[in-house]
Structure formats: structure tokens, C-alpha cells
């Protein structure tokens, strides 16, 4: 199978900044607790923005950054659990918004916080079978709509945002070597669907998910490295799902990863689920910390339960 590479990243976050202090005015919490337990200081919540506008703005930025035009796109996947409508999917609305070709598959993918990595792997498979060799992968969430303001252990965690990648598939490029896993569990992390009507809140057994995360992230890393036949030292940059700064700190300590080889933006955005990995990639590209030639190991985990890792490179 021919591999894909990242051609260009883009992102969009809502304007409204919600600080820990402002949350402490409406729920029984404190800036000190949130910062020390999660690393989060601020998050963005949508007001005027919509799921579609976040997706479209992030995607437009990625197209501009990559020099690819909408008519060159061979498939579009939006990784999300918070699309505005179930039908049409967010990807269908994005097709209309951007004027993507009508003879390509555009669809949403739900793998919670691992969605972007599931989508990258799916895109690699799709582009191998497509005459058009560029694909659009978006991770977008409006999690502020799912917050239970009576649950202080979850309401402080989540933020809204979108990250997008234009990817290219070319003969001879190595596969991203994605490793993906799934174990059905509707107790640790849950967002009810149509069964329960309009009050669809996120509920989470935080401590159990934390334990799952610190076990599964190293497992994903080892699996990716083993599959590629490389070691930690061969990786230029590590990109982790931003769920809790303490999870990232534990992993980087375990693998002795130096500060210049990983990145945290959870202080600014909180947990943005499927948007978190592409938001990090987009910021890093703008900062010039990753680019052509960088070998990046990305790892995600989340509801489902789902988990995954992949080796991504820039074209
Ligand atoms: O992206 C998908 C994957 N998600 C994750 O990876 C999330 C993983 N889990 C976590 O990040 C952490 O478990 C949380 C941040 C959600 C919670 O941190 P914790 O250290 O596991 O806290 P806890 O739930 O065990 O609660 C400890 C204490 C409790 O008080 P008592 O029972 O010890 O008196 C909670 O009531 O902290 C209390 N607490 C809070 N206090 C102030 C819980 N939430 C808050 C809060 N402010 N917001």
C-alpha cells in the first residue's frame, strides 16, 4: 500500500475564552485544582461559531497552507462526535461549503478522541483506491454543547475547536503504519445518542480513564515503533492527545523524551477530543517545529474505548 504524508495543516478555534476563574464562579472548583490536576488554564467555547464554520475555516487554512485546491480532493473525512446534525453529516456540509467534488466520499467518523488517527488510516486506504491523490481529514468538536454543568469533574475539561490536514498519497511513500484498537465499553466514557432525547451530556469515570490512558499510550507507542522497526530515538517529535497534562508528563518521563520533542497546548484549549491531535500538529507546523523530514509519532486514546498510533511525516 502507498503511504500518505501531511501536505499542510490548518486550525480554527472559537473566539470566546473560558478561564478556570470564570468556571470557579459557576461551579464548586478552583483555578488551583484544575491547573494542578489537568494542566488546563483556558478553553474555547463556541458562541457565534458553528461546527460547520469551525470545520470549514480549519479546512480552508489547510488547503491554503498546502497549495491544494478543492477540486483536487479525493475524499473527505470529519472525525467528530458533536456534528450539528446527524444527517447530513458534518462532512457533507463541508463538501458544500468548500465546493469539494461531488463524485468523492465525504463522511463522518466517530472514534471519539482517537478519531483523527482512525481517519488518517481510513484516508490512506481510500486514497490508494482513488484517482485523486489528495485527501482532507478534519477533527472538529463542539463539546461545550455536551457539558453537564452539574458535574464538576467533567465540565472543566472540554473545549471546542477544529484542526484539519490535507494529505497526499504517492507511490513509494511508506504507510503511516497506523495501529488502531477498540474495546466496547459504555461505562467509562459515554455520550448518549438518540435513545435519550435532547439532554445528551458527557459522563466519564475520570480516574479509570486516566489509568486506561497511562497503560494504552505506551502500548500504542511500542506497537508503532515495533511495526516500523525503529526506536524512540529515531522519532523526531511526539504528538499526544491532549486529555490531561499529567498523562503526557508520565509518558514522556517513562520514555525519557526531552522537552524539545513533545508539545502541550492543553493549557489553552482543554480537551478538544478529535480536534486535539490536528490542533497540535497545526500549531507545531506554524511554529516551524515540525515540517518536511520530521518523523512524528502521534498517539490518541478515548471513548469507545478506542486507541491508536501512527507515524506521520510532512511531504
Ligand atoms: O479524552 C478522553 C480521555 N479522557 C481522559 O483521559 C481523562 C482522564 N481523567 C482525568 O484526566 C482525571 O481523572 C480527571 C481530571 C477527570 C479527574 O482527576 P482525578 O485526579 O482523577 O480526580 P478524582 O475524580 O479522583 O477526584 C478527586 C477529588 C474528589 O474529591 P474527594 O472525593 O477526594 O473529596 C473530587 O470530588 O477531586 C474532586 N474534584 C474536584 N475538585 C475541585 C473533582 N473535580 C473537581 C473540580 N474541582 N473540578
Amino acid at each position: 500500500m502507498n503511504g500518505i504524508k501531511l501536505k499542510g495543516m490548518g486550525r480554527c478555534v472559537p473566539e470566546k475564552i473560558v478561564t478556570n476563574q470564570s468556571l470557579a464562579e459557576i461551579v464548586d472548583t478552583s483555578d488551583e485544582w484544575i491547573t494542578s490536576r489537568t494542566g488546563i488554564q483556558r478553553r474555547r467555547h463556541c458562541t457565534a461559531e458553528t461546527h460547520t464554520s469551525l470545520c470549514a475555516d480549519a479546512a480552508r487554512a489547510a488547503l491554503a497552507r498546502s497549495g491544494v485546491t478543492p477540486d483536487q480532493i479525493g475524499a473527505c473525512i470529519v472525525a467528530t462526535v458533536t456534528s450539528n446534525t446527524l444527517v447530513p453529516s458534518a462532512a457533507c456540509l463541508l463538501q458544500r461549503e468548500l465546493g469539494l467534488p461531488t463524485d468523492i466520499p465525504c463522511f463522518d467518523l466517530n472514534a471519539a478522541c482517537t478519531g483523527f488517527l482512525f481517519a488518517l488510516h481510513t484516508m490512506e486506504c481510500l486514497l490508494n483506491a482513488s484517482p485523486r491523490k489528495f485527501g482532507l481529514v478534519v477533527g472538529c468538536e463542539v463539546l461545550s454543547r455536551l457539558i453537564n454543568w452539574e458535574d464538576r469533574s467533567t465540565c472543566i475539561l472540554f473545549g471546542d475547536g477544529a484542526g484539519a490536514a490535507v494529505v497526499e498519497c504517492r507511490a513509494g511513500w511508506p504507510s503511516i503504519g497506523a495501529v488502531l484498537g477498540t474495546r466496547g465499553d459504555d461505562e467509562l466514557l459515554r455520550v448518549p445518542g438518540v435513545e435519550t432525547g435532547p439532554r445528551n451530556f458527557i459522563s466519564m469515570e475520570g480516574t479509570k480513564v486516566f489509568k486506561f490512558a497511562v497503560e494504552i499510550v505506551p502500548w500504542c507507542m511500542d506497537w508503532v515503533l515495533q511495526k516500523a522497526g525503529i526506536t524512540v530515538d529515531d522519532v523526531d517529535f511526539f504528538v499526544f492527545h491532549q486529555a490531561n497534562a499529567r498523562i503526557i508528563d508520565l509518558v514522556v518521563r517513562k520514555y525519557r523524551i526531552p522537552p524539545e520533542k513533545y508539545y502541550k497546548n492543553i493549557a489553552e484549549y482543554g480537551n478538544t477530543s478529535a480536534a486535539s491531535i490536528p490542533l497540535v500538529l497545526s500549531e507545531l507546523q506554524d511554529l516551524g517545529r515540525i515540517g518536511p523530514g520530521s518523523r512524528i509519532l502521534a498517539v490518541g486514546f478515548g471513548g469507545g474505548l478506542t486507541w491508536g498510533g501512527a507515524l506521520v511525516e510532512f511531504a
Side-chain angles (χ1 to χ4, degrees):
M1 185 162 75
N2 298 315
I4 54 167
K5 291 190 183 186
L6 303 174
K7 191 87 178 126
M9 301 296 305
R11 65 183 183 280
C12 178
V13 294
E15 281 196 10
K16 185 182 176 191
I17 298 172
V18 180
T19 63
N20 290 347
Q21 195 52 48
S22 62
L23 291 182
E25 286 161 18
I26 54 170
V27 293
D28 181 15
T29 188
S30 66
D31 177 34
E32 198 282 326
W33 191 94
I34 302 171
T35 306
S36 62
R37 302 307 293 167
T38 70
I40 301 167
Q41 293 174 11
R42 289 168 281 279
R43 68 289 287 144
R44 304 293 182 106
H45 284 179
C46 284
T47 47
E49 304 87 354
T50 64
H51 192 282
T52 307
S53 73
L54 291 180
C55 282
D57 287 350
R60 280 193 193 99
L63 286 164
R65 183 85 202 219
S66 57
V68 170
T69 50
D71 58 293
Q72 294 178 284
I73 296 293
C76 169
I77 306 176
V78 178
T80 188
V81 296
T82 52
S83 58
N84 222 15
T85 46
L86 290 177
V87 178
S89 69
C92 287
L93 296 177
L94 189 57
Q95 180 280 326
R96 183 175 68 182
E97 200 67 27
L98 298 179
L100 298 176
T102 51
D103 59 346
I104 63 167
C106 298
F107 59 94
D108 291 0
L109 184 154
N110 172 351
C113 306
T114 327
F116 187 75
L117 295 180
F118 273 55
L120 275 186
H121 171 73
T122 307
M123 183 58 78
E124 189 169 79
C125 299
L126 283 174
L127 290 183
N128 269 276
S130 165
R132 295 190 185 91
K133 291 301 171 195
F134 295 101
L136 181 60
V137 182
V138 182
C140 179
E141 302 290 8
V142 183
L143 292 160
S144 57
R145 303 268 193 276
L146 296 177
I147 287 173
N148 178 359
W149 290 105
E150 286 168 15
D151 177 5
R152 67 176 179 168
S153 70
T154 57
C155 73
I156 49 106
L157 296 174
F158 300 105
D160 303 339
V166 171
V167 302
E168 182 179 359
C169 181
R170 224 187 258 180
W173 279 352
S175 162
I176 59 171
V179 302
L180 305 172
T182 310
R183 174 162 56 85
D185 179 307
D186 62 357
E187 282 171 9
L188 293 195
L189 213 171
R190 191 162 199 273
V191 180
V194 287
E195 72 203 33
T196 50
R199 287 176 67 80
N200 288 349
F201 293 144
I202 298 177
S203 59
M204 181 170 71
E205 298 268 359
T207 312
K208 289 182 184 165
V209 176
F210 191 100
K211 282 190 187 138
F212 156 70
V214 294
E215 281 170 18
I216 208 70
V217 172
W219 193 80
C220 288
M221 288 171 66
D222 292 346
W223 192 7
V224 171
L225 294 171
Q226 190 194 356
K227 204 171 152 183
I230 60 173
T231 69
V232 170
D233 294 335
D234 298 320
V235 175
D236 298 308
F237 216 97
F238 295 84
V239 170
F240 301 103
H241 168 48
Q242 309 280 306
N244 188 318
R246 287 189 294 134
I247 296 172
I248 298 172
D249 293 343
L250 285 167
V251 172
V252 298
R253 207 173 308 142
K254 183 180 166 93
Y255 285 88
R256 296 197 174 88
I257 298 169
E260 64 275 14
K261 281 196 172 188
Y262 70 95
Y263 187 69
K264 288 187 278 189
N265 63 7
I266 187 167
E268 295 304 316
Y269 303 125
N271 182 344
T272 57
S273 190
S276 109
I277 288 176
L279 274 177
V280 169
L281 288 169
S282 172
E283 285 197 356
L284 288 169
Q285 187 186 21
D286 283 355
L287 291 167
R289 292 182 65 183
I290 54 174
S294 316
R295 188 187 255 169
I296 303 152
L297 203 173
V299 186
F301 55 90
L305 299 168
T306 56
W307 57 88
L311 276 179
V312 286
E313 286 182 34
F314 276 86

